[in-house]
Amino acid sequence: MYRSVSACLQSYSDLIRLHPANLKFTLQREQGFAVHPYPCIGQYRFTILTLRTHPLYESIVQRLKAPNSTYLDLGCCFGQDLRQLILDGVPPQNLVGLDIDGALMECGFELFLDRGLDSRFVVADVFKGSSQKEWAMLKERGVDIVHCSAFFHLFPLAEQITAAKEVAGILKKGGVLVGRQMGSTKPGDVAAVQLGRSGYRHNVETLDAIWQEVGVATDTRWLVEGSLDMVGVNGNGPLEDEHSRRLLFTITRLE
Amino acid sequence: MSADIETSNPTRYKGWYQEDLTEVNEPMRNLLENYAKVPSEDVVSHINRIVCTVVCLLVCRATPT
């Protein structure tokens, strides 16, 4: 039996308050990083608000202000991009955050001090699609904007296609998938931190190829636009090399 | 072209968890101050405390009793 979240918080809360830095590194040394080593947390990448830097951000905000619009943040982490949208005037009830890890979204309420927020936070696994009630509800509701940052690159190619098909199933016609992820000038598999796992990194052409495949499989049609650049890329980082690039993308459902 | 997939290298984890934040970028600061109403002087320590909480939670979850 694993300790419950509340029991953990109970035992650590005083220590956290008194010695946050020391405790964090003590835990890391003792546990050997056996836990989910999300760089979005460990490297504080969640503090980088990615959606607002997307070229389409202003039009996304306008679109989401309309009644019955829906935004889904796939792999939302703390839900930081949702809060930015709200700050920019989007009604909270139009926003949905989704992550496989409910603890991150819970801590989001602590980070943003908004536990009464009227947005929906869903714990779900993209790969299980509509077998999950929440995902089936999203499919029925239809989504206008899906944002996913640093998501697809976590998975090998075949799994990315599986996930993409699920996303295709919930996007309305005219809906858009936007985001960014680790790409490469030499597309291929890169070792992930989790042992034995790899993630496929795209350039725009290979990204387009998988969405053509998704289109054929789901009887939909997609326009893939994207670019590679060096923004936020550190060639010496733990998972980066000289071919690494930021891949920025806009994928529109045409049919 | 594929990179070799490493199968066993715990030292890959090194460098993942950086030192506590000492400063935060302007957009996130703006969000925390204007949306969450965190006082300006508390923004950095607030973020560090949340990250520490998350790390503790993840460790607890992975630790059998």
Side-chain angles (χ1 to χ4, degrees), chain A residues 143-198:
Chain A
V143 178
D144 295 87
I145 310 282
V146 174
H147 172 230
C148 60
S149 273
F151 176 73
F152 282 97
H153 67 202
L154 297 172
F155 309 106
L157 197 58
E159 289 179 35
Q160 290 190 23
I161 293 171
T162 303
K165 287 177 187 170
E166 294 293 353
V167 172
I170 61 170
L171 261 172
K172 294 176 183 171
K173 188 170 149 183
V176 178
L177 169 67
V178 295
R180 51 180 286 166
Q181 60 196 44
M182 285 308 304
S184 180
T185 55
K186 288 187 182 296
D189 283 317
V190 175
V193 175
Q194 283 175 278
L195 299 179
R197 293 279 299 170
S198 67

